[in-house]
Amino acid sequence: MDTQNLRIQKGITRSKPFQIQVDGQLLFAYPGETLGTVLLANGKRAFRHTMLSGGARGIYCGMGVCFECLVTVNGQANVRACVTLAQPGDRVKRQFK
Amino acid sequence: MKTDVVIVGGGLIGCATAYYLAKKKSNVIVIEKDAGVGLQASGRNAGMVRQQARKAALPLAMASVRLWAALAQELENDLGYTRTGYLKIALDEAGVAVLENEMAWEHAHGLTEVRMLSPDECRDKIIGLTDRVVAGKFCPTDGIANPMLVTPAYARAAQRLGAEIKTRTTVTGLLRQGSAVRGVTTEQGEIEAEVVVNAAGPWACHLNESIGCATPITPGLSQLMFTERRAHNLVCPVGVLGFGGYFVPTHAGNMVLGISGVPNKYGYSTRVEYSDITAKAAQMLEILPWLSQVSVIRTMSGITEYTPDGEPYIGAVPGTRGFFTAVGFHGQGFCLGPIVGKILADLITGKESSISLATFKPDRFARVQG
Amino acid sequence: MNDLTLAPLTVVGAGPAGIMAAYTAAEAGVDVTVIDENPLPGGQYLRQSPPEFTIPDVVAAHSGHPEAAALYRKLEHPRIRTMHNTSVWGVFDGRMLALAERDRVYLHKANRVVIATGAYDRPLAFPGWTLPGILGAGAVMRMVKTQWVLPGKRVLLAGLGPLQLPLADLLLESGVEVVCVAEAANLFLGWRHLSGFWGHGDRIWEAYTYIKTLVQHRVPVFHNHAIVSASGKEQVETATIARLDGSGQPIAGTERQFEVDTVCLGYGFLPSIQLAMAFGCEPRFDENLSWFVPRHNDHMETTEPGIFVAGDVTDFGGAKVALAEGRVAGLAAAHQLGALDDATFNRLVAPALAELRHMNRVALALQRIYRFRRGLAFLASDDTILCRCEDVTLAKVKQALADGAIDLHQVKLGTRAGMGYCQGRCCSALIAPIVAKETKQSISTLHPFTVRPPIQPIPLQMLATGAVSMAVE
Ligand SMILES: Cc1cc2nc3c(=O)[nH]c(=O)nc-3n(C[C@H](O)[C@H](O)[C@H](O)COP(=O)(O)OP(=O)(O)OC[C@H]3O[C@@H](n4cnc5c(N)ncnc54)[C@H](O)[C@@H]3O)c2cc1C
Ligand SMILES: Cc1cc2nc3c(=O)[nH]c(=O)nc-3n(C[C@H](O)[C@H](O)[C@H](O)COP(=O)(O)OP(=O)(O)OC[C@H]3O[C@@H](n4cnc5c(N)ncnc54)[C@H](O)[C@@H]3O)c2cc1C
């Protein structure tokens, strides 16, 4: 997907961005953004493969109810990307098979 | 309604007995008060198929494990049974002596594969186990199975052989004729039978007492915490001497963190106690520190049965014709279910038990006036 | 932990309903503790953007909630203490609330409680629905409005209900291509409920402005259509919609396929009833919703004395109904706590109830027009996953039923559906219609999954802190 401009620009001013690592790649994040937002803004839809069927999953409910958007953050597995704020220096791994 | 055998209670004991009886061509009716079979302790336990650390029931446990080996095939149903082995650890010198005594007992009964492990060997088996471990004892033929599958599988296999399962029916008393039992009364009417089996678990006492046989059972609350599913180091169940808790892996990848029961504290309720789960969580982190960031996603509880000597009541009730009971299994009924069902079916059809049941006589405590 | 002791009234949820309940009770002289798991108040509809984002007021007003700021300020009432970042994860011994705040857990005795826990997107299972890029409408709304990020570039909206239009509008305004809107309601049948809109001209006007935007952007709107499948490799690439027959089943041969990178599912909401269930409140089957909500009386009290509900957790009427119900619940709780005498209570509650009745007329009309259609419950094929947490397919559920399971609980034991992280929040309403159909019972006679603590996962380390705080108390 062409991921340009997935962050809405009109009508909002963000603070100074910082970097986080996602699967080794450096990405910009803005203060106040969730990890889910940072991944989505960079066109990353699939966050993990399920342990049982191996199917790809990503954000679904966006409010912490469904536990589909689980990622590994700084070594901690199964963190909900949709309700977890990105912090400078975060190392995020998608939970792929 | 009339049949050969009526079984009171659709737990594992009741359903296994029904299956082995149906296999012997008996007409069987299982009566269960709940909406389905195996919804009490039989379906909500930790799933350990463990011989280790059994006392008088060790020969039964060993015979049962031999049945477990081919059970999935026999019942034509996946049961999630795996021989993971079972590790029991001691945290102090006194505990080491206990483990060694247990091992002597186990070896004497032919469970020769049990052996002691050094602290390093324990920690090689369970990576990240506390360094407070002083010794361990391991039995490779112990294992786990999925409690949610086993009782329904027995019930279905029994039904295929003609047994009938009546759910949502509560047995209220026994029909008697002189010294013989000839059926049961239920809320929906009477059912006549040559033989009645009381397998009603912790609710069994009053039926036995009604014919003058006291089988004292004190209910205890056993609680389980289920963790999220994730990669982990728990390759086999771990029990800790004197700890009041245990750790069990499951097939699905979750872990079960068990809190041993306390008799009589909470009656027959199956609730979960905040003070128990939080206190045990803290203690469990001392045994397996890597659990700290693992989430608990569900808790539940079941009733365990305490008898005065810690052993179950199994067999014909003396002085009464046509009445058998098998109750009071405390923390061993899941492992023992298959063999107890088979032995009861033998006894009911006039065959001797291959294993001595002397310790488990239903009337071993004072008889009450019936 | 004395400063954390709960006030005589505890309100769980700081959305419109919870805020209004707390404020009304506080005005009547009751001390109130408000608990919400989010860092900021507002709930779903009035959810705020993070404070690090600077949003000029004009824009904030334009995006819908000039009233929001006024509402948040109500929480500054001196009798209200708000605990943010705190979730309620269990009820013990009938009235003890287990709380989790950041990395600690606590147990506190509650007196009167208003449960205003809101709702979440209703899942709809069809082949391919678990693919990344397929999201709930609520999720998309929150993403766009509070995180200011777009879910994708080519979006298909499929759903049932009046929220589809504002959502399409929002996406179009943000520069997203909306390939079509599939609306499952049969508006032809719905017209007869329109009398409910008498006196609600603002609602009709609102709808008109949304439709105007759709027309301007030439977005095709398919009425009486639902999404029936989606496909793609690691994310959604195509989505197919089809026309529905009278019972809401797709009609073969009417399929239309669209290339998309995002599908937005707006099939309404399911109430967050877990906490109410944990309190032991009796559920009521709602025919329009085709699911369970906590039963309550006119004064919003549940079947558990002193436990009230308000807002989306029990009635789907939008933010205004939530506010009106919050007011009634707040007054009733204050009355029970002795802060209002009978006469004052009756005087204050009468207009609140009248207001609620007025709001409910339109809410009920909407619920009838957009009632959940039976056929939508049967779009899955055998290999479609119903329980996302445990990867349980329709085939496995059917097998469990063939093996003798007769209710939701037995299907759960036989398949593990509902045993995962979300504890059946997503799959129970998908599995219930299947159980009902195969066992020939009405869904209303089934019981939703039992709720067991924790209603949200709690890391062991955090649970262990409870042992310490117990010792302190
Ligand atoms: C939390 C927990 C963990 C455990 N872990 C293990 C373990 O790891 N390994 C192990 O071997 N054992 C374990 N156990 C013990 C084991 O679960 C029990 O010993 C075993 O399930 C007993 O089976 P049962 O059929 O006798 O009893 P139950 O399963 O209690 O069945 C009795 C049935 O009788 C029915 N009933 C009662 N009264 C009536 C009536 N009047 N009319 C009709 N029906 C009636 C009940 O509804 C019930 O279904 C554990 C137990 C618990 C609670
Ligand atoms: C996408 C979308 C669009 C909408 N558009 C409109 C519209 O245009 N017009 C309209 O009138 N309505 C609209 N609504 C409906 C409106 O959002 C709701 O009616 C309203 O928010 C309901 O308020 P509430 O207070 O009942 O619940 P909510 O606003 O959902 O608040 C519930 C709160 O409870 C908290 N909570 C839940 N469980 C716990 C727990 N266990 N512990 C702690 N806290 C907890 C949650 O974090 C949340 O903050 C829309 C809803 C959505 C999702």
Side-chain angles (χ1 to χ4, degrees):
Chain A
M1 192 196 335
D2 161 29
T3 62
Q4 257 204 324
N5 300 330
L6 281 179
R7 280 193 178 93
I8 299 170
Q9 308 297 339
K10 206 174 77 190
I12 174 177
T13 316
R14 297 177 173 85
S15 322
K16 210 164 124 6
F18 53 84
Q19 283 189 317
I20 68 168
Q21 246 189 49
V22 178
D23 297 318
Q25 186 189 354
L26 285 173
L27 298 178
F28 279 112
Y30 292 88
E33 287 186 342
T34 65
L35 291 172
T37 298
V38 180
L39 266 71
L40 277 178
N42 286 280
K44 299 186 192 306
R45 303 308 222 29
F47 287 22
R48 66 183 182 110
H49 291 140
T50 68
M51 272 176 94
L52 299 176
S53 72
R57 302 287 169 86
I59 289 194
Y60 172 64
C61 81
M63 61 185 281
V65 168
C66 75
F67 292 83
E68 286 287 65
C69 61
L70 303 178
V71 293
T72 299
V73 184
N74 305 324
Q76 169 69 30
N78 298 343
V79 174
R80 287 172 289 176
C82 75
V83 291
T84 307
L85 288 181
Q87 305 286 351
D90 274 348
R91 303 161 84 88
V92 179
K93 273 175 96 158
R94 289 183 286 169
Q95 300 183 167
F96 289 147
K97 281 225 153 142
Chain B
M1 206 186 269
K2 217 177 150 94
T3 186
D4 296 345
V5 184
V6 158
I7 298 174
V8 187
L12 177 56
I13 303 292
C15 292
T17 306
Y19 167 75
Y20 293 109
L21 277 170
K23 226 176 133 180
K24 288 167 175 283
K25 309 253 175 336
S26 296
N27 293 316
V28 192
I29 299 179
V30 177
I31 303 175
E32 168 56 52
K33 67 175 167 60
D34 294 345
V37 298
L39 296 180
Q40 298 298 331
S42 298
R44 34 170 66 200
N45 61 58
M48 287 183 285
V49 179
R50 165 170 71 81
Q51 311 154 92
Q52 220 184 146
R54 301 294 182 206
K55 299 193 177 88
L58 180 58
L60 285 176
M62 290 167 65
S64 211
V65 164
R66 285 194 287 277
L67 288 179
W68 274 101
L71 200 55
Q73 252 171 309
E74 167 145 18
L75 302 181
E76 296 170 35
N77 205 109
D78 172 35
L79 303 176
Y81 174 61
T82 317
R83 289 195 173 173
T84 52
Y86 173 91
L87 175 66
K88 191 166 177 189
I89 61 167
L91 301 179
D92 55 31
E93 286 304 326
V96 181
V98 174
L99 292 185
E100 279 167 349
N101 276 337
E102 280 181 12
M103 187 171 73
W105 170 261
E106 284 150 4
H107 284 182
H109 283 83
L111 195 65
T112 49
E113 58 267 41
V114 175
R115 58 190 186 88
M116 296 294 291
L117 299 188
S118 71
D120 280 347
E121 286 174 312
C122 292
R123 284 195 299 267
D124 281 349
K125 191 157 278 307
I126 307 292
I127 311 284
L129 183 65
T130 173
D131 50 18
R132 283 172 53 206
V133 57
V134 182
K137 183 163 66 91
F138 186 73
C139 175
T141 49
D142 286 344
I144 54 170
N146 184 343
M148 292 177 292
L149 301 181
V150 180
T151 304
Y154 262 120
R156 275 196 299 278
Q159 282 170 311
R160 284 197 293 269
L161 296 170
E164 191 185 334
I165 314 256
K166 280 175 88 74
T167 54
R168 293 192 170 123
T169 309
T170 301
V171 170
T172 50
L174 299 173
L175 293 172
R176 298 172 60 182
Q177 194 165 49
S179 70
V181 169
R182 40 160 281 266
V184 294
T185 55
T186 75
E187 284 167 340
Q188 281 102 309
E190 299 182 350
I191 302 177
E192 287 182 44
E194 314 268 301
V195 172
V196 173
V197 180
N198 180 6
W203 301 271
C205 311
H206 72 278
L207 277 189
N208 291 346
E209 276 167 22
S210 75
I211 52 155
C213 177
T215 49
I217 295 175
T218 307
L221 182 71
S222 289
Q223 300 163 77
L224 303 175
M225 299 186 272
F226 288 79
T227 74
E228 63 188 318
R229 176 191 294 121
R230 61 147 78 196
H232 61 73
N233 300 331
L234 192 66
V235 296
C236 71
V238 176
V240 186
L241 209 59
F243 178 69
Y246 47 90
F247 308 80
V248 189
T250 71
H251 255 260
N254 314 62
M255 289 173 271
V256 180
L257 312 178
I259 305 174
S260 307
V262 185
N264 232 351
K265 197 163 152 199
Y266 306 110
Y268 284 85
S269 85
T270 50
R271 61 196 188 188
V272 173
E273 285 292 309
Y274 180 90
S275 54
D276 292 342
I277 61 173
T278 52
K280 198 53 85 184
Q283 293 163 10
M284 284 176 163
L285 290 179
E286 293 172 18
I287 309 291
L288 292 178
W290 50 262
L291 283 174
S292 68
Q293 293 309 317
V294 175
S295 285
V296 171
I297 62 170
R298 202 155 41 93
T299 56
M300 66 176 187
S301 64
I303 300 170
T304 37
E305 307 152 274
Y306 289 79
T307 61
D309 57 2
E311 300 300 346
Y313 307 104
I314 309 174
V317 174
T320 314
R321 246 184 321 117
F323 189 63
F324 295 77
T325 194
V327 293
F329 286 93
H330 184 50
Q332 31 190 9
F334 185 62
C335 169
L336 298 185
I339 192 67
V340 171
K342 194 157 196 283
I343 288 176
L344 277 180
D346 282 346
L347 295 179
I348 290 163
T349 52
K351 238 178 99 185
E352 286 278 298
S353 165
S354 50
I355 297 168
S356 165
L357 299 175
T359 330
F360 312 120
K361 281 202 174 88
D363 63 340
R364 64 183 182 275
F365 297 106
R367 291 181 65 86
V368 293
Q369 296 305 310
Chain C
M1 299 324 313
N2 282 331
D3 60 323
L4 280 179
T5 312
L6 299 175
L9 176 62
T10 305
V11 175
V12 186
I19 294 177
M20 194 48 96
Y23 179 74
T24 308
E27 281 285 281
V30 175
D31 286 329
V32 187
T33 307
V34 176
I35 303 175
D36 197 294
E37 59 198 6
N38 287 307
L40 298 167
Q44 295 314 334
Y45 183 42
L46 303 177
R47 185 166 292 227
Q48 306 181 52
S49 287
E52 294 88 344
F53 289 11
T54 314
I55 301 142
D57 276 353
V58 200
V59 181
H62 174 71
S63 62
H65 323 301
E67 78 274 40
L71 194 62
Y72 306 147
R73 271 199 299 280
K74 292 198 189 304
L75 287 179
E76 289 161 17
H77 193 287
R79 289 193 175 278
I80 299 179
R81 203 190 61 222
T82 308
M83 299 167 73
H84 293 298
N85 292 308
T86 306
S87 56
V88 180
W89 58 270
V91 179
F92 293 88
D93 284 334
R95 287 293 153 95
M96 303 293 283
L97 284 185
L99 312 183
E101 191 218 354
R102 295 175 205 272
D103 52 0
R104 304 193 65 80
V105 297
Y106 308 96
L107 188 67
H108 285 296
K109 187 157 182 60
N111 184 341
R112 298 303 196 281
V113 180
V114 175
I115 300 172
T117 46
Y120 53 94
D121 283 308
R122 179 181 205 133
L124 187 85
F126 53 87
W129 77 295
T130 55
L131 282 168
I134 302 183
L135 304 98
V140 172
M141 192 75 116
R142 271 185 299 277
M143 230 175 240
V144 175
K145 279 191 165 181
T146 71
Q147 286 279 306
W148 297 75
V149 65
L150 300 174
K153 301 233 131 178
R154 275 179 67 83
V155 182
L156 182 146
L157 267 66
L160 171 73
L163 295 183
Q164 291 227 90
L165 298 179
L167 185 54
D169 196 56
L170 179 69
L171 291 172
L172 289 167
E173 301 260 298
S174 314
V176 170
E177 183 186 350
V178 175
V179 299
C180 79
V181 177
E183 169 54 59
N186 189 339
L187 289 182
F188 184 68
L189 294 176
W191 289 120
R192 59 206 161 98
H193 302 296
L194 277 185
S195 60
F197 284 87
W198 268 117
H200 290 273
D202 52 330
R203 300 298 289 267
I204 297 173
W205 176 251
E206 201 183 317
Y208 168 72
T209 56
Y210 294 139
I211 292 167
K212 211 174 76 189
T213 315
L214 288 179
V215 172
Q216 270 167 6
H217 285 85
R218 299 177 194 286
V219 176
V221 179
F222 297 97
H223 283 284
N224 206 14
H225 275 68
I227 186 162
V228 292
S229 70
S231 64
K233 235 177 134 267
E234 291 282 291
Q235 63 178 61
V236 60
E237 288 161 21
T238 66
T240 305
I241 64 169
R243 189 142 52 83
L244 302 176
D245 68 13
S247 70
Q249 307 252 53
I251 302 170
T254 65
E255 294 86 358
R256 287 166 204 262
Q257 206 185 57
F258 296 86
E259 266 176 43
V260 295
D261 62 26
T262 304
V263 172
C264 183
L265 301 176
Y267 288 89
F269 300 96
L270 291 179
S272 294
I273 59 174
Q274 288 68 29
L275 190 57
M277 300 264 296
F279 267 112
C281 304
E282 206 180 280
R284 169 182 76 82
F285 185 76
D286 184 284
E287 291 289 341
N288 292 320
L289 180 65
S290 195
W291 195 238
F292 298 88
V293 296
R295 186 184 292 286
H296 64 78
N297 64 17
D298 282 350
H299 292 163
M300 304 313 295
E301 190 173 15
T302 65
T303 54
E304 286 294 305
I307 309 293
F308 300 82
V309 283
D312 277 5
V313 67
T314 184
D315 294 295
F316 287 80
K320 286 184 179 157
V321 171
L323 289 170
E325 288 192 342
R327 185 174 299 121
V328 172
L331 288 172
H335 179 228
Q336 279 196 4
L337 287 163
L340 297 175
D341 59 35
D342 289 355
T344 318
F345 171 66
N346 287 331
R347 183 167 52 76
L348 293 176
V349 82
L353 285 172
E355 159 87 358
L356 182 55
R357 270 194 300 276
H358 178 68
M359 301 310 316
N360 266 336
R361 279 229 325 273
V362 73
L364 214 70
L366 284 171
Q367 283 169 19
R368 289 203 181 113
I369 295 171
Y370 295 110
R371 64 176 296 161
F372 192 73
R373 300 184 67 184
R374 194 184 134 75
L376 296 175
F378 302 102
L379 299 175
S381 59
D382 275 354
D383 58 358
T384 303
I385 283 167
L386 299 185
C387 169
R388 287 170 166 257
C389 298
E390 297 290 318
D391 273 341
V392 179
T393 59
L394 173 60
K396 279 198 218 161
V397 169
K398 283 188 184 159
Q399 182 60 48
L401 291 165
D403 283 348
I406 54 158
D407 57 27
L408 276 171
H409 182 63
Q410 290 178 34
V411 168
K412 174 176 174 176
L413 294 181
T415 64
R416 302 188 55 83
M419 287 193 184
Y421 283 112
C422 89
Q423 287 222 32
R425 279 176 182 69
C426 297
C427 68
S428 50
L430 297 174
I431 294 175
I434 313 286
V435 174
K437 186 180 173 196
E438 303 277 325
T439 59
K440 301 188 173 59
Q441 352 176 26
S442 148
I443 304 183
S444 63
T445 61
L446 297 173
H447 293 277
F449 291 138
T450 321
V451 172
R452 305 181 191 285
I455 59 181
Q456 279 137 13
I458 309 275
L460 224 68
Q461 176 84 65
M462 198 162 150
L463 200 55
T465 64
V468 182
S469 65
M470 287 285 292
V472 172
E473 270 173 40

